[in-house]
Amino acid sequence: MEHGDVRPPRRRRRSCVIMSIATVLLLIVVVVVLALTLSQKADNLKRTFIARCEKFQGYDCQKIWVAFEQAHVGRDPCNVPMEAYDPLFAEAPFKPACNRMMFWSKTKDVVHDFTENRDCFLTLEDTLLGSVLDGLTWCGKKGSSETFSSGCPGWKDCEKNPVRSFWNGASTAFADVACGDVTAMLNGSITTPFSPTSTFASIEVKRFNSMRVESLNVVLVTRKNAVTNCTNASLRNLQEELDDGIKYNCTEVAESQVLDCSSDPEKPCGACW
């Protein structure tokens, strides 16, 4: 060593090495924890799916899960068409429930409070697949063999996201088996109870076939601040959308009356509106 040269202190060099190792270890821990968290969320999704499915008798829930995964696993989460779920719908088909099928738009809480307490009507969310996937989020990733429940596109982020495609396909299949007297619970507290962009308008009503459906009974749920009634222009559009031969009826019913009826098992369903 020549005079004038300065050797870096050994302690400082050792500290740098230790800090580098610690940083690398921290990154490894973060990656492992993140991977375990994502895996745990996927496992939770499967457990929820299977647990809900097993409430319905006569189905092979593991087989239904496999059909569900085949629809989206390994796919671009913005390129999952409705048709991808056809094998799932074949595995757990929607069955006709004539005179009991209930459709809804912007009334989810009210209608499900009613169907949970009374056995008069059946909504899409009361069927096996509707019940199993209600409120859940899922997607796949291109090149991956896993199902994810986070980091997935939202409903409006892309048209062919896996959740939106499932519900559009399920709504189509559910409406296809509608028969007899069909009921629809619509929101009388908004200016357009029959919105052309709603699932009910854009998919379900268009699938009602006069060979199977005899009538559509609209229950227009109102509150004190009701802004519409059965003469609403959008409801006239609804009548025009129906197949010739399907009868139409609309009844304005206070939300409080629906809620009271749902909590009174002694009251006949026909007297609720």
Side-chain angles (χ1 to χ4, degrees):
M1 180 175 177
E2 299 293 334
H3 290 289
D5 288 347
V6 178
R7 185 189 299 274
R10 290 187 178 183
R11 287 184 180 178
R12 184 179 300 173
R13 187 163 49 189
R14 191 180 301 120
S15 297
C16 291
V17 172
I18 292 173
M19 287 181 65
S20 298
I21 293 173
T23 301
V24 171
L25 289 175
L26 179 60
L27 287 172
I28 292 173
V29 169
V30 169
V31 169
V32 170
V33 169
L34 182 59
L36 289 174
T37 300
L38 292 175
S39 177
Q40 185 178 25
K41 286 183 177 180
D43 288 343
N44 288 341
L45 176 68
K46 183 176 181 179
R47 279 195 293 270
T48 299
F49 185 106
I50 298 297
R52 290 180 178 181
C53 176
E54 288 177 344
K55 293 179 181 179
F56 294 80
Q57 296 182 348
Y59 293 91
D60 185 335
C61 293
Q62 290 292 341
K63 199 171 181 181
I64 293 173
W65 169 260
V66 171
F68 166 68
E69 280 207 308
Q70 287 175 345
H72 63 270
V73 166
R75 289 178 178 262
D76 179 340
C78 277
N79 191 25
V80 180
M82 284 198 309
E83 295 75 21
Y85 288 99
D86 285 349
L88 175 64
F89 299 145
E91 196 63 48
F94 296 100
K95 300 175 181 178
C98 296
N99 306 317
R100 295 183 59 238
M101 298 181 75
M102 171 77 81
F103 296 82
W104 57 270
S105 182
K106 300 293 190 294
T107 54
K108 184 175 183 179
D109 291 341
V110 178
V111 74
H112 287 140
D113 178 79
F114 188 85
T115 59
E116 284 173 9
N117 290 288
R118 304 297 300 273
D119 195 31
C120 317
F121 296 98
L122 181 80
T123 68
L124 171 56
E125 293 76 17
D126 297 315
T127 64
L128 186 150
L129 291 178
S131 174
V132 162
L133 292 169
D134 189 26
L136 300 184
T137 297
W138 67 90
C139 66
K141 304 287 184 183
K142 204 165 185 179
S144 172
S145 59
E146 297 182 52
T147 290
F148 300 89
S149 58
S150 61
C152 301
W155 183 271
K156 295 183 178 180
D157 289 342
C158 47
E159 186 176 352
K160 293 182 180 180
N161 72 71
V163 175
R164 183 170 178 172
S165 289
F166 166 77
W167 286 111
N168 285 347
S171 294
T172 299
F174 187 65
D176 279 344
V177 297
C179 53
D181 297 324
V182 172
T183 304
M185 194 173 284
L186 306 184
N187 192 333
S189 297
I190 57 178
T191 56
T192 311
F194 182 66
S195 170
T197 59
S198 68
T199 301
F200 180 59
S202 63
I203 295 177
E204 292 167 339
V205 168
K206 296 180 184 299
R207 309 296 297 192
F208 293 163
N209 188 319
S210 59
M211 297 295 290
R212 299 187 306 272
V213 176
E214 294 180 12
S215 67
L216 173 64
N217 301 307
V218 171
V219 177
L220 191 64
V221 181
T222 61
R223 296 178 179 173
K224 289 182 179 180
N225 63 337
V227 296
T228 190
N229 54 41
C230 284
T231 64
N232 184 272
S234 72
L235 296 178
R236 289 197 294 271
N237 294 335
L238 168 55
Q239 294 178 64
E240 294 173 0
E241 284 282 344
L242 293 174
D243 265 7
D244 291 338
I246 298 179
K247 299 174 184 177
Y248 171 86
N249 181 61
C250 178
T251 305
E252 298 162 23
V253 183
E255 181 177 329
S256 58
Q257 181 177 331
V258 178
L259 295 176
D260 287 344
C261 194
S262 68
S263 60
D264 184 0
E266 301 299 323
K267 191 171 186 177
C269 289
C272 291
W273 43 76

